[in-house]
Amino acid sequence: MVRGVYIHIPFCHQICNYCDFNKFFFHNQPVDEYIESLGKEMALWANDLQKAEIETIFIGGGTPTSLSVDQLDRLLELITTYIPMEHVTEFSSEANPDELTLDKMQKMREFGVNRLSMGVQTFDQDLLKVLGRTHSNDHVYEVINHAKQTDFPSISIDLMYGLPNQTMDQWKASLQEAFRLKIPHISAYSLLVEPKTIFYNLLSKGKLSLPGEDLEAEMYGYLLEEMQSHGYIQYEISNFAYVGKESKHNLLYWNNDEYIGLGAGAHGYVNGKRYSNHGPIKKYMQTIETGEQPLMMQKEVTNVEKMEEEMFLGLRKNEGVSLAKFEERYGLTLRDVYGKELDELLQRELLVLEDNFVRLTSRGRFMGNEVFQYFLK
């Protein structure tokens, strides 16, 4: 059953050097028309939305906070018109610190948005410039003050490590600043240099200096130690939260549950099929106008693929993969399908089997990608 909705806003006032998401410069884009197209796409999903029990909504991008207050008002009006809200417990929006004004936060709260996911990335001003970010630390502090004024229930920030020329001291300083602000949820990711990004072009020309694997592992180790000592629970490889502040929407992905994706370039998983929408805004909007779903690709997920996804998504969570849930979903025990792989990984002490769950060990978290490869047939 569908339990979540993702809504993509592909507009940015600034394109970051590391970003490979579907995004476009805000200037001269048909933003108002795009929002209306989103409403029409929601209408196309009306039957599925009414049958579902939607628990989480996530507005991502791009940059949702690149919208004006009036545009945000229209977007939220469409969302709350077409998406049944009675079961929604988490309504999140991504945000840039230098674009999230008090009036935008008030508008979000008016429509029930109760969680912000803010792209901070680092508290080091020099590294922010390297990333192509336009905000300052003062913008972050201002947003946190606005959150208190508007009684915002939860804020999450993203931090990144393994950045170009980043030192261990810079990483430590960013983490300590986040702890000082008592942010209830922190996502911390190592930099991945993706194709079609400015960083990728620089790397291919030998003009991007990245920390080595040893330093990156040291940064991750420091992250794990400090999160625990400051009262955060690690519930996924890169995600940490105070008790009860975990991201319910992201847990949908890691639990391999179904969700509807709306907007240009959005991905979804409904009725056993994974799909992606057209990425170019014009193509997306033109298809919507014909009354058809703006699908670029749709693929039925085979049972084998579902089991693979159950493993490499589920093992990202600290609780791991439930043996009982696996058997209930697929009619086979985990050992029936992956007995040989389990034995080898247990012997290498990269996995542990306890309390009817299989999960990564502390050592396994440092080698997660290698472990996941075992379950890809």
Side-chain angles (χ1 to χ4, degrees), residues 155-219:
I155 292 182
S156 173
I157 65 170
D158 290 349
L159 294 176
M160 298 176 73
Y161 59 95
L163 302 177
N165 296 313
Q166 186 181 29
T167 66
M168 190 67 186
D169 285 342
Q170 286 173 313
W171 174 231
K172 288 180 177 180
S174 276
L175 271 182
Q176 295 305 323
E177 183 63 6
F179 297 144
R180 185 185 73 80
L181 296 172
K182 299 189 183 301
I183 305 294
H185 185 285
I186 299 175
S187 299
Y189 304 102
S190 63
L191 173 68
L192 291 177
V193 179
E194 303 284 3
K196 300 180 182 179
T197 64
I198 293 173
F199 275 177
Y200 184 84
N201 293 334
L202 290 173
L203 186 65
S204 64
K205 296 174 183 176
K207 295 181 178 180
L208 193 71
S209 177
L210 298 174
E213 289 184 4
D214 290 344
L215 178 54
E216 194 169 305
E218 185 182 348
M219 289 176 170

Side-chain angles (χ1 to χ4, degrees), residues 11 15 22 28 38 52 57-58 71 77 90 138 145 150 163 165-166 195 199 202 225 243 248 251-252 259 272 274 371:
F11 307 113
I15 304 298
N22 191 51
N28 289 333
L38 274 172
I57 302 171
F58 193 101
Q71 289 166 340
E77 179 186 28
E90 182 183 278
D138 286 340
N145 287 331
T150 52
L163 302 177
N165 296 313
Q166 186 181 29
F199 275 177
L202 290 173
E225 293 173 4
V243 174
K248 295 177 182 177
L251 281 167
L252 288 182
Y259 64 97
R274 292 200 179 272
V371 174

